Amino acid sequence: MIVNHYRLRSSVRTYNLGGMGCSAGVIAVELARDLLQVHRGARALVVSTENLTQNWYLGAERSMLVGNALFRMGGSAVLMTNVPADVPRCRYRLAHVVRTHVGADDQAYDAIFEMEDVTGARGVKLSKNIMDVAGGALKRNLTELAPLVLPLREQARFFAHLGLHLWQQQRGWAWAWRGGARGASGTSDPHRRRGAGASRSTPSRPPRPLLPAGTPSASASGPSSTAAALGAAAASPPGPYVPDFHTAFEHFCFHTGGRPVIDVLEKALDLTTVDVEASRYALRVYGNTSSASVWYEMEFLEAAGRMRSGDRTWQLAFGSGFKCNSAVWVALRDVPPAPDVIREG
């Protein structure tokens, strides 16, 4: 359609990435980057669209009706180039693209699935487990992205937390085996089974362990309570370390998969309301425009006058498959604000 409308020359190569889901925009950016690395002195136009007509569901299955209410028509276009003469006009430089595909897992594969209902009506089914699947895909994506973008001091904190976690786990299980299972339970000591006093070879009390903050002491609760508390502490190690992503990015553009998706990302990544304002704006004004949504958010950041030279922007998009894809852009110059572009829905 684009080639025909603008009467482009026949040497222009076109690629259709239909069926890639809401993360197709980031996938197309990666494909364009790979092509530009091979073909010097070239430009690539990336067009992301959401077309509801093809997958509009006319049946009555609730899990397949969600898509009708969630998605909206939308589109965006981004011009990428490797022509040196174009650099003064470029706004951004593509720094990283990280793609994660977990389709080998059946639960992830079925999370977003095009199918027919019992009446034969075709549509897209959204699984109730989609948030769990997205969380697992995001974790794998961040595992690969974090070393590329986080400063060394933040990576050092991560490994320090990991080492402390492993040390606490080993200490907890070791004490639970020596003191709790063998001495405090009262079932494996032969002298206790006979009702006799403890033998001379048995220590008067087990060595005092290092207790996590807030754990009751042995003097207050007795050895049995201490063993139970340590067993619980060993079975419940500290939560995963959340890096400070503000050390890597100034702006965040998360795919507008819905308000719960944005809420979960804001909480899980320890972000502020300002960090996710662009995502909430795009969702409120335009709805879920699928793969084009991350560019609606970039437009908001530019129009609000927040994009400055050197700023780093993280685009994150989820898609069927199941996929989680990230793109990192670095601003090459200040983008003048355009408040007239910002709409209120």
Side-chain angles (χ1 to χ4, degrees):
M1 292 173 60
I2 296 173
V3 169
N4 179 265
H5 180 81
Y6 291 100
R7 297 294 188 263
L8 301 182
R9 60 182 183 272
S10 59
S11 59
V12 172
R13 302 183 182 185
T14 61
Y15 300 87
N16 186 355
L17 295 180
M20 292 289 99
C22 300
S23 61
V26 178
I27 296 176
V29 165
E30 184 190 40
L31 174 61
R33 181 202 63 180
D34 294 345
L35 291 173
L36 291 175
Q37 287 178 338
V38 175
H39 303 279
R40 295 298 177 183
R43 301 181 180 93
L45 179 66
V46 177
V47 180
S48 300
T49 63
E50 173 65 5
N51 185 359
L52 302 181
T53 306
Q54 181 178 358
N55 290 318
W56 188 262
Y57 178 60
L58 300 176
E61 189 71 29
R62 287 189 177 184
S63 62
M64 301 173 69
L65 280 168
V66 175
N68 292 355
L70 183 63
F71 293 99
R72 292 294 181 268
M73 300 284 286
S76 65
V78 182
L79 184 63
M80 301 177 62
T81 178
N82 60 16
V83 180
D86 292 340
V87 173
R89 295 185 293 172
C90 291
R91 292 187 180 183
Y92 306 99
R93 174 179 60 86
L94 180 62
H96 305 286
V97 177
V98 175
R99 291 181 55 189
T100 301
H101 196 298
V102 293
D105 179 73
D106 290 340
Q107 186 180 31
Y109 179 69
D110 294 330
I112 305 176
F113 200 84
E114 184 178 5
M115 56 178 292
E116 294 181 354
D117 62 11
V118 293
T119 65
R122 179 170 291 275
V124 177
K125 178 194 69 175
L126 300 179
S127 170
K128 295 181 179 179
N129 300 321
I130 189 171
M131 295 300 293
D132 296 333
V133 170
L138 174 62
K139 182 178 180 181
R140 293 181 58 175
N141 189 268
L142 290 180
T143 302
E144 185 175 350
L145 176 66
L148 301 176
V149 298
L150 291 175
L152 292 178
R153 65 179 182 274
E154 196 64 30
Q155 296 187 43
R157 290 173 182 169
F158 167 77
F159 287 111
H161 176 86
L162 179 61
L164 178 62
H165 164 74
L166 295 176
W167 180 83
Q168 288 181 335
Q169 193 175 34
Q170 291 175 357
R171 288 280 299 190
W173 282 114
W175 190 91
W177 185 84
R178 292 196 309 269
R182 305 294 293 179
S185 62
T187 57
S188 54
D189 190 341
H191 296 282
R192 292 185 181 273
R193 284 202 301 268
R194 291 196 303 265
S199 65
R200 293 182 180 179
S201 60
T202 304
S204 57
R205 59 181 179 180
R208 185 176 181 181
L210 292 175
L211 300 181
T215 303
S217 64
S219 60
S221 306
S224 299
S225 299
T226 303
L230 278 189
S236 302
Y241 177 72
V242 179
D244 183 6
F245 287 100
H246 295 95
T247 61
F249 309 110
E250 283 73 32
H251 308 292
F252 302 85
C253 295
F254 298 146
H255 157 57
T256 55
R259 189 174 63 181
V261 175
I262 301 175
D263 292 342
V264 169
L265 289 173
E266 178 183 2
K267 182 178 180 180
L269 301 178
D270 196 18
L271 303 178
T272 66
T273 55
V274 176
D275 294 332
V276 296
E277 184 180 4
S279 299
R280 296 193 188 280
Y281 164 82
L283 180 63
R284 182 179 69 254
V285 175
Y286 301 104
N288 184 354
T289 54
S290 189
S291 61
S293 63
V294 292
W295 294 109
Y296 282 80
E297 297 162 30
M298 289 279 280
E299 182 187 51
F300 170 81
L301 294 172
E302 293 179 350
R306 300 181 185 178
M307 196 65 68
R308 302 295 181 183
S309 177
D311 283 1
R312 299 154 297 179
T313 302
W314 177 18
Q315 290 182 334
L316 175 67
F318 300 95
S320 56
F322 190 87
K323 297 182 287 291
C324 177
N325 302 328
S326 295
V328 179
W329 299 88
V330 180
L332 298 178
R333 56 187 175 91
D334 295 349
V335 180
D340 295 340
V341 175
I342 300 178
R343 300 169 51 188
E344 290 299 331

